[in-house]
Amino acid sequence: MTIRGKRNQQRMKKLTGAVLLVGGPANSADLRYATGYATVDPAVYVQHGARKWLLVPLLEKGRAQKEARRGVKVLTPFDLKLSRARRRRLADWILALAKAEKIKRFTVGAWCPAALVDCLREAGLRVRVSSLPMFPGRAVKTAREVALITEAQEAAVFALRCATAFLRRTRISRDGWLLMRGKKVTSEDVRRLIDHALLDRGCLGTGTIAACGAQGADPHERGSGPLRAGQPIVLDIFPQNLASGYWGDLSRTVVRGKANRRVRAIHRAVRTAQRLALRKIRAGVSAERVHHVASSALERAGFVTRIKGERPEGFIHSLGHGVGLEIHEAPGVGPAKERLRAGNVITVEPGLYYGGLGGMRIEDTVLVTRTGYRLLARAPEQLEL
């Protein structure tokens, strides 16, 4: 058994009663990890000792049986002999299985619907809500998982190259707007191009960012309206592979035309901070240490994090996060005591943000190894286009 398998097994032994997962298309990472099944409609996973069940709607049974891992038994409301009125309620699916298998207690994750927990408790079952990860082993990726994340990351690099090539072809008007065929180029145009490129690579772009100038001062601002020359454009691309469900994550900041001295200095500082942080990555190092290396480098370059007025500025977020079946998952790479482990896949994304000027972020996704890190996909770092 692998180290990750042992960690998951040890965690399961600590849980009270049967493990219960409820997932839909938007929150099914644990369920997909446990079963291999990609949900379309809400589904239920129950693990009681060595026995595992996946409960799905009748129309999903065939696909679920093909996708489910060995040892997972697929059931539908019809298999549970539920009446027509009870077939639509997930709680009734669970109650029927609990009765058939004599399960009295469940442990659920923090994201389990409260209404469902109440319903199970009202029916006499004991339900414990755990704030701990149900599958801590998810944070350590297998070679196959690393390959799937790399595939998504390579799609992000492809989309970035398409976007920067498009921006290079724009013409700069006398008053500083970016033009294509006489029309102003917008953030929406760039996002549309990126998302189409991702689809060409079998990935879905959700929340793609193309934020120009002052808009980039908010790290999660997607951007809107016409783009201007000489201003930083934050491009943040995080595709999910439609077949595997695994994500990639990549950011670059570019300027069409000539960047001013301050923008060039900020870019240089962020690039240096990322490189210094990358040098510290290896199994056993604390995430806090890696974050501190980046933040200290930015401060030494003269970019202090502070509150100006009512707005934070400088390096206002953590250095990174884990990537896998979720775009943000363990381990966090910030001011925390958690130590990195070989097999973690994390982002390294220092950034600086200033009202009026905008944002500057450089982000890559890497695999933590015993002695260092491995970049999953190489992307251009040029500031000026």
Side-chain angles (χ1 to χ4, degrees):
M1 181 180 290
T2 64
I3 293 175
R4 181 170 78 161
K6 290 180 180 178
R7 186 173 288 113
N8 283 331
Q9 190 177 72
Q10 290 167 357
R11 168 70 179 136
M12 287 300 177
K13 288 180 179 179
K14 295 178 182 179
L15 299 177
T16 303
V19 172
L20 171 63
L21 302 177
V22 178
N27 64 339
S28 61
D30 271 342
L31 192 145
R32 187 165 189 174
Y33 175 81
T35 68
Y37 169 69
T39 62
V40 174
D41 295 312
V44 173
Y45 172 74
V46 176
Q47 181 172 337
H48 193 209
R51 294 176 295 169
K52 304 173 184 179
W53 298 272
L54 175 61
L55 313 182
V56 299
L58 181 63
L59 79 167
E60 284 290 299
K61 185 172 184 179
R63 187 172 68 86
Q65 288 176 324
K66 291 178 182 178
E67 294 183 358
R69 295 193 175 95
R70 180 178 297 179
V72 178
K73 185 174 182 179
V74 177
L75 297 174
T76 73
F78 284 82
D79 297 317
L80 295 168
K81 296 180 172 54
L82 290 171
S83 66
R84 183 184 297 273
R86 298 179 64 200
R87 291 173 195 163
R88 295 183 176 276
R89 298 184 59 207
L90 296 184
D92 285 327
W93 299 7
I94 298 164
L95 291 171
L97 180 66
K99 181 178 180 181
E101 300 296 332
K102 298 180 173 53
I103 300 172
K104 302 295 184 181
R105 296 179 297 176
F106 285 106
T107 295
V108 301
W111 297 103
C112 186
L116 187 142
V117 171
D118 286 344
C119 188
L120 298 181
R121 286 172 173 168
E122 288 170 3
L125 296 176
R126 295 177 62 186
V127 182
R128 174 176 174 265
V129 180
S130 174
S131 60
L132 299 174
M134 303 297 279
F135 298 99
R138 269 183 56 194
V140 177
K141 271 58 180 182
T142 64
R144 176 180 176 275
E145 287 178 300
V146 173
L148 294 172
I149 298 169
T150 299
E151 185 178 359
Q153 189 70 4
E154 288 172 345
V157 173
F158 172 73
L160 173 71
R161 291 183 182 278
C162 291
T164 54
F166 172 76
L167 290 170
R168 282 193 185 94
R169 294 198 304 271
T170 60
R171 185 174 66 82
I172 301 174
S173 70
R174 290 182 180 179
D175 50 357
W177 299 108
L178 302 189
L179 304 178
M180 181 66 73
R181 300 187 184 92
K183 295 183 178 181
K184 291 180 180 179
V185 175
T186 66
S187 293
E188 291 85 352
D189 294 329
V190 177
R191 284 205 305 273
R192 190 179 305 113
L193 185 152
I194 289 171
D195 291 344
H196 285 179
L198 293 176
L199 282 173
D200 287 342
R201 292 298 182 97
C203 294
L204 182 65
T206 303
T208 301
I209 292 172
C212 181
Q215 293 180 359
D218 180 345
H220 288 161
E221 169 61 51
R222 297 189 66 200
S224 61
L227 304 179
R228 294 193 68 90
Q231 295 188 354
I233 304 171
V234 178
L235 302 173
D236 195 341
I237 305 168
F238 34 104
Q240 184 181 32
N241 186 280
L242 292 168
S244 72
Y246 283 86
W247 294 77
D249 204 355
L250 174 73
S251 296
R252 290 294 186 268
T253 305
V254 298
V255 171
R256 175 67 177 102
K258 193 73 172 177
N260 64 37
R261 182 180 299 178
R262 180 162 173 78
V263 169
R264 291 199 301 272
I266 291 173
H267 181 264
R268 184 165 54 249
V270 171
R271 192 174 180 184
T272 298
Q274 191 200 43
R275 289 179 175 177
L276 291 175
L278 286 168
R279 291 177 189 173
K280 288 294 180 182
I281 291 175
R282 67 181 186 282
V285 72
S286 73
E288 181 180 38
R289 175 61 179 158
V290 180
H291 174 88
H292 179 71
V293 166
S295 62
S296 296
L298 294 171
E299 288 186 3
R300 287 195 303 272
F303 300 104
V304 178
T305 302
R306 61 182 181 177
I307 302 295
K308 186 176 181 180
E310 296 184 353
R311 186 184 186 96
E313 66 174 27
F315 183 27
I316 60 177
H317 54 69
S318 296
L319 181 64
H321 54 84
V323 178
L325 283 169
E326 293 177 287
I327 184 58
H328 296 105
E329 61 178 49
V333 188
K337 302 299 182 183
E338 186 171 6
R339 293 191 176 275
L340 299 179
R341 302 198 297 260
N344 290 156
V345 174
I346 60 173
T347 66
V348 183
E349 49 180 308
L352 289 170
Y353 308 88
Y354 296 96
L357 183 145
M360 180 70 64
R361 183 162 66 254
I362 299 174
E363 174 187 25
D364 288 288
T365 299
V366 304
L367 169 68
V368 179
T369 68
R370 186 175 59 83
T371 58
Y373 73 94
R374 174 160 64 85
L375 187 66
L376 294 193
R378 189 171 299 279
E381 296 183 355
Q382 182 179 358
L383 172 64
E384 297 176 333
L385 302 177

